[in-house]
Amino acid sequence: MMRTRPLKVALLGCGVVGSEVARIMTTHADDLAARIGAPVELAGVAVRRPSKVREGIDPALVTTDATALVKRGDIDVVIEVIGGIEPARTLITTAFEHGASVVSANKALLAEDGATLYAAAEQHGRDLYFEAAVAGAIPLIRPLRESLAGDKVNRVLGIVNGTTNFILDKMERSGAGYSEALDEATALGYAEADPTADVEGFDAAAKAAILAGIAFHTRVRLDDVHREGLTEVTAADMASAKRMGCTVKLLAICERAADGQSVTARVHPAMIPLSHPLASVREAYNAVFVESEAAGQLMFYGPGAGGAPTASAVLGDLVAVCRNKLAGATGPGESAYTQLPVSPMGDVVTRYHISLDVADKPGVLAQVATVFAEHGVSIDTVRQQGRPDSDGEASLVVVTHRAPDAALSGTVEALRKLDTVRGVASIMRVEGE
């Protein structure tokens, strides 16, 4: 039997995502009520610019006082889509204190200070759901928190930023350079006017922190994630990858150590074989590859951003939280019982693709090989090619076997000191093998 008294929802933020959330709540009101077991009512919308016309939203619901809205006491669920650290953190904890559960899309806050939010939710017996914080519409957080709760996840490998994937895909398919591909992404609306958060890997790093914490049942903060952007990726790197039967992706990689005593989380460009499922992820799409002991390999794929896809994830959480409210229950909270340390990047075992500009004369390869041997790094393949148009230079490409990242970094620094090495053209890790 459906309850007639509606559950009241406060919406914090009414931009691209917030406006879609409001629209779906209105147009799908009957369906949402049937799925929840009670109607849901948009009780207030907090915005910065109240004079802006918002189609489909009663102007009487609009307020600039977000604090007063979450303190009302009659709000059942607060949806937070304003982003950033403050005032979002204070508004969310205030909502918990005044009886509301929270649905959030705030990846930055969850990665920076998720522990505070979890603690406040638990203290007040409220829900904190955040499916929309990672990979847009792709159901990922709930499968990791719930569907795989009885399994042991060992690795999460994914493309979690659509802007960077569009740029790299453009570079691969057209031969464009980074700047040209970024300009096209901006023109099409995939990249912000200031793309720093995307292209320097900050957005993906926040998502990696969230995924690692859930997958490995330990606390991982944004500062724990090694981060490299894609601004240094060149058309030559894309060509080298193609020659190896690979492509280049900006990957978020979260791994449990082989001995199970630590975890790592990192974001950086990497070459992956064309045979890997992630290699076929094109344009602005996201995909995440999960490896667990019992379930094996799972892949989640779909649109990772945009108003409607992200709103879909928000509304899914809203339904779940409302159902919990009617049942007098709460969903899963923080699971950080393993308390595993996060190892630094230097301890991570990786492979390198290194392109060197060297003197085109006998003995150079032997000198380079000696440097690798001195640092305990084994070479997988070497390709040397003279350049007729150069002044006595050749290109030397080395692909290593797996070794600690610190050893590989030390190798590169030693190579730079060789008189016969004129420059390091590019360095890129190789993953997915």
Side-chain angles (χ1 to χ4, degrees):
M1 181 177 178
M2 183 178 293
R3 191 180 84 164
T4 57
R5 184 172 67 82
L7 293 164
K8 294 188 176 183
V9 178
L11 179 61
L12 308 183
C14 198
V16 173
V17 176
S19 59
E20 276 295 307
V21 169
R23 183 189 66 80
I24 296 172
M25 285 185 64
T26 301
T27 58
H28 295 179
D30 292 342
D31 286 339
L32 290 172
R35 294 166 191 172
I36 292 169
V40 288
E41 172 188 308
L42 190 57
V45 181
V47 300
R48 286 185 296 177
R49 296 185 295 275
S51 60
K52 180 180 178 181
V53 176
R54 294 172 173 86
E55 186 177 349
I57 297 178
D58 183 352
L61 298 178
V62 177
T63 178
T64 58
D65 194 342
T67 301
L69 180 59
V70 300
K71 282 184 173 182
R72 275 178 39 172
D74 64 336
I75 300 297
D76 296 291
V77 183
V78 169
I79 298 175
E80 183 272 310
V81 287
I82 57 177
I85 305 303
E86 288 292 354
R89 174 169 46 199
T90 299
L91 290 170
I92 289 173
T93 55
T94 301
F96 290 141
E97 293 168 3
H98 288 79
S101 290
V102 173
V103 173
S104 176
N106 196 331
K107 55 187 171 288
L109 176 55
L110 287 159
E112 179 69 29
D113 197 16
T116 294
L117 305 187
Y118 279 124
E122 182 178 6
Q123 178 184 353
H124 298 285
R126 307 300 168 195
D127 272 326
L128 173 63
Y129 275 54
F130 48 90
E131 186 67 64
V134 180
I138 304 172
L140 182 60
I141 300 299
R142 194 167 298 145
L144 285 173
R145 290 176 85 181
E146 301 177 28
S147 303
L148 295 175
D151 205 343
K152 182 180 181 182
V153 176
N154 291 317
R155 194 171 194 235
V156 179
L157 172 75
I159 298 164
V160 294
N161 183 274
T163 300
T164 53
N165 199 59
F166 178 89
I167 291 170
L168 291 171
D169 186 45
K170 176 69 175 178
M171 292 175 68
E172 179 192 20
R173 294 211 263 187
S174 71
Y178 165 75
S179 296
E180 182 183 348
L182 174 59
D183 287 344
E184 181 167 345
T186 304
L188 293 173
Y190 291 120
E192 301 287 345
D194 179 0
T196 302
D198 293 323
V199 300
E200 294 293 354
F202 290 101
D203 176 84
K207 295 169 181 176
I210 295 169
L211 291 174
I214 296 171
F216 307 133
H217 303 279
T218 195
R219 285 182 179 170
V220 179
R221 298 178 70 250
L222 180 59
D223 290 346
D224 296 322
V225 182
H226 174 83
R227 176 193 55 79
E228 298 172 26
L230 54 71
T231 56
E232 301 301 318
V233 177
T234 65
D237 292 327
M238 306 302 289
S240 292
K242 186 175 182 179
R243 284 192 292 269
M244 288 178 59
C246 293
T247 188
V248 177
K249 298 293 185 183
L250 185 77
L251 298 179
I253 306 170
C254 312
E255 293 178 304
R256 190 190 301 268
D259 62 6
Q261 299 305 303
S262 65
V263 299
T264 59
R266 51 196 165 105
V267 168
H268 54 72
M271 295 181 179
I272 58 172
L274 294 175
S275 58
H276 195 283
L278 291 178
S280 62
V281 179
R282 298 294 185 183
E283 298 187 336
Y285 278 78
N286 284 193
V288 178
F289 208 69
V290 178
E291 300 175 9
S292 66
E293 288 194 355
Q297 297 179 331
L298 307 170
M299 184 167 165
F300 302 83
Y301 170 84
T310 306
S312 171
V314 170
L315 268 295
D317 279 352
L318 176 64
V319 170
V321 169
C322 287
R323 286 172 175 171
N324 290 345
K325 181 84 173 181
L326 293 178
T330 56
E334 182 182 30
S335 176
Y337 71 92
T338 62
Q339 299 182 18
L340 295 173
V342 182
S343 296
M345 185 64 194
D347 292 346
V348 174
V349 177
T350 63
R351 297 180 66 201
Y352 266 29
H353 173 281
I354 306 169
S355 180
L356 304 171
D357 295 327
V358 300
D360 190 5
K361 63 182 183 180
V364 173
L365 181 56
Q367 290 182 356
V368 169
T370 297
V371 170
F372 278 90
E374 289 174 347
H375 287 80
V377 178
S378 177
I379 294 175
D380 182 15
T381 62
V382 177
R383 184 179 73 252
Q384 183 170 345
Q385 182 175 354
R387 299 204 296 262
D389 58 339
S390 68
D391 184 17
E393 283 191 2
S395 295
L396 182 64
V397 176
V398 180
V399 180
T400 73
H401 285 292
R402 289 168 61 82
D405 199 81
L408 289 162
S409 297
T411 302
V412 172
E413 291 307 308
L415 289 171
R416 295 182 193 274
K417 297 176 182 178
L418 290 178
D419 292 338
T420 51
V421 174
R422 306 286 173 79
V424 179
S426 70
I427 309 166
M428 192 169 295
R429 296 177 183 86
V430 182
E431 298 287 345
E433 296 182 312

